[in-house]
Amino acid sequence: MSWKVEPLPEGGIFFFRVLAENEYGVGLPAKTLEPIKISEKPQPPGKVSVIDVTHSTVTLTWEKPEHDGGSRISHYDIELAPKDSEAWSVCASVKALETVVTNLLKGEEYQFRVVAVNDKGKSDPRQLAQTVVAKDLVIEPTVRPKVSTYSVQVGYDLKIEVPIAGHPKPTITWTKDGAALKQTTRVNVTDLAHHTTLTIKDATREDGGMYSINIVNALGSKDATIEIQGVVKPMDKIDPPEMILDSELRKGIVVRAGGSMRICIPFKGRPAPEINWAKEDGELPSKAQIETGEDYTQLSIDICDRFDAGKYILNLENSAGTKSAFVSVKVLDTPGAPLNLTVKDITRQSVTLTWEPPLIDGGARIKNYLVEKRESTRKVYSNVDNKCTKTSYRITGLTEGTIYYFRVLAENEFGSDPRPLAAPVTAKDVTVEPGFKMRFNTFSLQNGEDLKIEIPVIGRPVPKVEWKKDGQALKETTRLNVSSTLSSTKLCIKDANKEDSGKYTVTATSSIGTATEEITVIILDKPGPPTGPVKIEEVSSNYVTLSWEAPEYTGGCQINNYIVEKRDTTTTAWQIVSATIARTTIKITKLKTGTEYQFRVSAENRYGKSSAIVSPAVIAQYPFSEPAAPGIVLVDVTRHTVTLSWEKPDHDGGSKITNYIVEMQPKGDDKWTVCSEVKALEATIEGLTTGEEYSFRVIAVNDKGRSDAKPLAASVVVKDITMEPIINLFSQLLLLLVEVLLLDLLPCVS
């Protein structure tokens, strides 16, 4: 018997009891032993842990929620976000308590969290306590046997499990008494991520000895030793269990509802085997009786109903082995109630119901379904259709505003059993705000692949859906197509390229409201060229420093490096300077002074290399110029010498003046010759010929080179200079006046 109690508040906790009544009164109640909590969304998963990390993957594990909300956990959503970001996205959905997150970027730091999902919704997320950097882990190998000595009786099995650790995964080697361990069908070793196991079946005295374990990885090696002692012990003869199923039991048992069922199976085995009965799809019925003798076991059920149908499994086990067999039982009865009866659609005049076939068909094929209804003001259901062969039905002719109850019955040759709908339904047009059921908000694909984004749409009346890209309405082409149905919208792009990457928005609009979702499309491709121009930051005689900006289009992933090349402008051949530059600047050395070069830069990511940007031509030379010419004047002339002086140049060319060169040219001679090199601003030229006429000039020198020559204003004739005496009356009068003043002051001083 069964009954559905409704309606109950979500999250409520209840005890239930059932009482039987006949013409003489009500009997004692049967009670539920434990309280039952009405289904709600689950609690968050338990502790989230990292069990492995590589440069592109992270392996996570987590514990079940303390409470599943009263409904089975259907799956877990794993979400990730970059460090210090709240942009969470689902990266995996799994049913297990472990997953491997792939396609991570090497060196990037991530946050992870896990959400439990049941029929009522999603739990709050449980976040990993620390962030994770995608990189290959390196751990020294370790091996730690639990004990160092094992004893095993001859004829018995021995299993030794030894914990190990190390990353990368170490190589494991077992030896016995100094020689490599020979593995057979009886002696073998199995290695897993965190332990190595030695299994010995039917041990002999020869299996005793010293066993050694050696584990090795890139960081080193570790050893451990285990002693196994073989012990001989007399043993009774043993036989594995056997059971005898006659041909009738092998065909299965068929019993009518209300009848009795007996399964009696003889067995043998030494020592006497342990006996265990089970039912394939759950626990044994509480009314099942089990009787066991020395050589038989029997399972009995009186007054069978459809819930007693199924496979009954007998397991026998002793020290010599195990044996199992099953017997199929079919109970001829009315079918169970249809499952998951729900309202799919409601209007003012109609309701559409859907359901699933019953779990138990009563041992006979379901012929059809009966659909019934009743108004809330009535107590009796009326027939709508008694020959429905599908698992859905649209009931029409309803009165607007009236509250109805519905039920569906499955029918086989033995009858039917009703299943009412969980709650009453009011016939009226239902309005639902528009919205989208988004699973992902970011889509990544490689250049040239097809993009297909299909999103379930909800809303009543059916909303109008519009797609935009970067704020502009999408224009359909032979390559780009948008289509929508009553329940979904789809964007398809063939041969996607980088022009298709960007921010897309999808908007659903109806008379009830508007909903918008933003979707990011990333096209994974080789990057665009670096952003130019290539700047010449510094030039010297043997090096040049360049800089540039990162590409505007990265190809949808991180730029791994830049490739810098050079060429002598007298050739067309390019040479790689560096293919591993991580920054956007480089100092290129070992250039030839005076040679003109051109440089080009390209970017590279995991999908390839970009086109290059080219620098202007530049000559490897000092960053300063020759100095300006110094000014020169004649200081003195004798019959064998000429003394010259000059001023520093107005500009030294950006480099300190190292020295000055004085050159002369005899009159009538076209050749200039160096006659002196000095660091001072004056020079005396000796060894000249008396009476000869000479021209002189001075040149300033720095690390860049020589200045232009600065000639003396006029040529000089080498001879002693003579001057007639000149009386300077003013000077004589001044001296006389000073003497008179001194004579007047002498008496005052004395």
Side-chain angles (χ1 to χ4, degrees):
M1 301 292 290
S2 65
W3 184 253
K4 185 173 184 178
V5 182
E6 59 179 358
L8 295 174
E10 185 175 307
I13 301 175
F14 298 90
F15 285 93
F16 297 92
R17 67 181 188 178
V18 179
L19 302 89
E21 183 179 21
N22 63 13
E23 60 185 303
Y24 299 106
V26 178
L28 296 175
K31 303 178 182 179
T32 56
L33 298 178
E34 299 291 336
I36 297 173
K37 187 171 184 179
I38 307 306
S39 179
E40 60 184 2
K41 71 177 185 179
Q43 292 184 356
K47 181 182 179 182
V48 182
S49 304
V50 177
I51 61 174
D52 193 22
V53 181
T54 73
H55 67 275
S56 62
T57 67
V58 170
T59 303
L60 301 173
T61 183
W62 55 91
E63 300 171 356
K64 289 183 178 180
E66 290 186 3
H67 182 60
D68 62 6
S71 175
R72 184 177 62 86
I73 301 296
S74 61
H75 66 279
Y76 297 90
D77 285 342
I78 296 83
E79 300 177 347
L80 67 75
K83 181 184 178 183
D84 300 328
S85 171
E86 290 302 320
W88 293 93
S89 61
V90 176
C91 56
S93 292
V94 297
K95 294 184 178 181
L97 296 175
E98 179 178 326
T99 191
V100 179
V101 181
T102 60
N103 297 324
L104 302 179
L105 299 179
K106 183 176 181 181
E108 291 294 312
E109 195 166 355
Y110 296 91
Q111 310 173 78
F112 295 93
R113 65 185 187 187
V114 182
V115 176
V117 183
N118 69 4
D119 290 339
K120 288 296 182 180
K122 295 184 176 183
S123 73
D124 293 333
R126 177 75 68 188
Q127 188 166 342
L128 184 65
Q130 72 280 358
T131 57
V132 180
V133 178
K135 64 179 181 179
D136 293 323
L137 293 180
V138 181
I139 302 173
E140 289 188 4
T142 58
V143 55
R144 300 187 182 91
K146 298 174 183 177
V147 295
S148 59
T149 303
Y150 290 82
S151 297
V152 59
Q153 292 181 5
V154 172
Y156 279 71
D157 295 346
L158 175 64
K159 183 177 180 180
I160 302 174
E161 187 175 283
V162 181
I164 63 169
H167 205 287
K169 183 179 178 182
T171 302
I172 304 169
T173 305
W174 284 75
T175 59
K176 178 179 181 292
D177 298 329
L181 179 65
K182 295 181 180 179
Q183 298 195 49
T184 65
T185 55
R186 195 176 59 81
V187 179
N188 64 81
V189 172
T190 55
D191 298 327
L192 296 177
H194 302 294
H195 60 262
T196 179
T197 304
L198 170 65
T199 304
I200 301 175
K201 297 181 180 179
D202 301 325
T204 67
R205 296 187 65 181
E206 287 71 24
D207 293 322
M210 300 300 293
Y211 289 76
S212 295
I213 310 164
N214 173 257
I215 69 171
V216 180
N217 71 7
L219 293 186
S221 66
K222 288 291 186 296
D223 298 281
T225 302
I226 297 172
E227 182 180 6
I228 298 178
Q229 300 173 348
V231 180
V232 178
K233 180 180 178 180
M235 299 179 63
D236 293 334
K237 181 181 178 182
I238 58 175
D239 293 314
E242 294 183 16
M243 63 181 75
I244 303 168
L245 266 69
D246 60 31
S247 58
E248 294 300 319
L249 285 179
R250 293 183 185 278
K251 292 178 182 178
I253 296 175
V254 179
V255 59
R256 283 189 175 274
S260 299
M261 177 266 292
R262 303 282 185 274
I263 303 175
C264 185
I265 300 178
F267 66 82
K268 60 182 179 179
R270 179 180 294 181
E274 293 184 7
I275 298 168
N276 180 50
W277 284 92
K279 195 166 183 283
E280 183 181 54
D281 55 354
E283 297 181 357
L284 283 175
S286 58
K287 58 187 175 182
Q289 302 292 322
I290 297 174
E291 178 185 347
T292 300
E294 290 186 0
D295 58 357
Y296 77 93
T297 180
Q298 178 176 285
L299 182 144
S300 306
I301 298 178
D302 294 328
I303 313 177
C304 293
D305 58 38
R306 61 175 176 268
F307 299 105
D308 298 322
K311 286 184 179 180
Y312 289 82
I313 302 168
L314 173 62
N315 290 301
L316 303 178
E317 182 176 3
N318 65 9
S319 58
T322 60
K323 186 73 172 180
S324 65
F326 69 87
V327 176
S328 295
V329 175
K330 180 182 288 188
V331 178
L332 303 178
D333 196 358
T334 59
L339 302 175
N340 300 325
L341 177 60
T342 56
V343 176
K344 184 179 180 182
D345 192 28
I346 305 174
T347 70
R348 292 175 295 176
Q349 297 178 332
S350 69
V351 169
T352 301
L353 304 177
T354 64
W355 60 90
E356 296 175 8
L359 192 62
I360 299 173
D361 62 7
R365 183 180 64 84
I366 301 295
K367 296 191 302 180
N368 55 268
Y369 296 94
L370 287 74
V371 182
E372 299 178 343
K373 71 175 182 180
R374 74 173 176 87
E375 292 90 342
S376 61
T377 56
R378 298 174 179 266
K379 294 185 178 180
V380 179
Y381 281 89
S382 61
N383 180 65
V384 176
D385 191 336
N386 60 3
K387 296 297 180 182
C388 176
T389 57
K390 298 180 180 180
T391 55
S392 65
Y393 194 87
R394 185 169 181 260
I395 303 170
T396 59
L398 303 180
T399 303
E400 183 177 358
T402 302
I403 300 175
Y404 291 89
Y405 289 86
F406 302 95
R407 68 181 184 184
V408 177
L409 302 83
E411 187 173 33
N412 66 8
E413 61 183 281
F414 302 106
S416 60
D417 188 26
R419 168 57 57 93
L421 193 60
V425 177
T426 302
K428 63 178 182 179
D429 286 333
V430 175
T431 58
V432 178
E433 289 190 0
F436 301 97
K437 294 182 178 180
M438 302 292 296
R439 286 187 58 82
F440 306 101
N441 285 85
T442 301
F443 294 82
S444 300
L445 69 158
Q446 290 193 25
N447 183 63
E449 293 181 344
D450 293 344
L451 172 65
K452 179 181 177 182
I453 302 175
E454 185 168 4
I455 306 171
V457 181
I458 58 175
R460 176 171 292 219
V462 176
K464 178 183 178 182
V465 178
E466 182 181 19
W467 285 81
K468 292 183 178 181
K469 179 178 183 290
D470 299 329
Q472 301 296 320
L474 274 183
K475 294 182 180 179
E476 294 195 44
T477 64
T478 54
R479 200 172 58 81
L480 186 150
N481 176 259
V482 173
S483 60
S484 296
T485 66
L486 296 178
S487 59
S488 69
T489 182
K490 187 190 301 182
L491 169 65
C492 296
I493 301 177
K494 295 181 180 179
D495 301 325
N497 57 53
K498 69 178 183 180
E499 302 301 326
D500 300 314
S501 62
K503 299 289 185 182
Y504 290 75
T505 56
V506 56
T507 302
T509 305
S510 73
S511 59
I512 306 303
T514 300
T516 300
E517 290 286 348
E518 186 175 271
I519 299 167
T520 301
V521 173
I522 299 173
I523 305 300
L524 302 172
D525 193 7
K526 62 184 181 181
T531 302
V534 177
K535 297 178 183 177
I536 310 296
E537 300 289 356
E538 187 179 1
V539 180
S540 191
S541 62
N542 60 356
Y543 71 85
V544 171
T545 301
L546 308 177
S547 70
W548 58 92
E549 299 296 331
E552 292 181 2
Y553 176 65
T554 65
C557 61
Q558 184 179 3
I559 298 296
N560 292 338
N561 56 275
Y562 295 94
I563 300 169
V564 180
E565 299 171 275
K566 69 177 181 181
R567 77 175 180 92
D568 181 335
T569 56
T570 61
T571 70
T572 58
W574 290 91
Q575 295 177 310
I576 292 179
V577 175
S578 177
T580 58
I581 298 298
R583 297 182 297 176
T584 56
T585 182
I586 184 175
K587 182 177 181 180
I588 303 172
T589 59
K590 299 181 181 179
L591 302 180
K592 294 180 181 179
T593 303
T595 301
E596 186 178 56
Y597 292 94
Q598 223 175 357
F599 304 93
R600 67 183 183 186
V601 183
S602 53
E604 188 171 32
N605 64 12
R606 69 171 71 176
Y607 298 101
K609 174 183 169 184
S610 74
S611 57
I613 56 172
V614 182
S615 75
V618 59
I619 298 174
Q621 60 186 358
Y622 287 111
F624 39 80
S625 62
E626 296 88 352
I632 181 172
V633 296
L634 177 65
V635 176
D636 190 24
V637 180
T638 72
R639 56 182 175 176
H640 296 297
T641 66
V642 171
T643 300
L644 304 171
S645 70
W646 51 88
E647 298 174 352
K648 287 183 178 179
D650 293 337
H651 180 58
D652 61 7
S655 177
K656 188 178 73 168
I657 302 297
T658 57
N659 63 287
Y660 297 92
I661 299 173
V662 183
E663 295 180 336
M664 69 178 184
Q665 182 188 54
K667 185 177 181 180
D669 194 344
D670 294 333
K671 183 178 179 182
W672 289 88
T673 59
V674 176
C675 56
S676 181
E677 290 191 33
V678 295
K679 293 185 178 181
L681 298 175
E682 184 177 280
T684 299
I685 314 303
E686 300 177 341
L688 302 178
T689 304
T690 303
E692 287 290 328
E693 190 174 348
Y694 296 89
S695 295
F696 295 92
R697 65 184 185 186
V698 179
I699 300 170
V701 181
N702 66 6
D703 288 338
K704 174 66 176 175
R706 298 182 176 193
S707 71
D708 293 335
K710 183 71 172 182
L712 191 61
S715 58
V716 179
V717 177
V718 180
K719 63 179 180 178
D720 288 330
I721 297 177
T722 58
M723 298 180 65
E724 293 183 1
I726 298 174
I727 299 175
N728 191 329
L729 292 177
F730 176 77
S731 299
Q732 294 296 325
L733 288 172
L734 183 60
L735 289 174
L736 183 59
L737 179 60
V738 171
E739 288 179 2
V740 171
L741 288 172
L742 288 173
L743 290 174
D744 288 341
L745 290 171
L746 284 175
C748 297
V749 175
S750 60

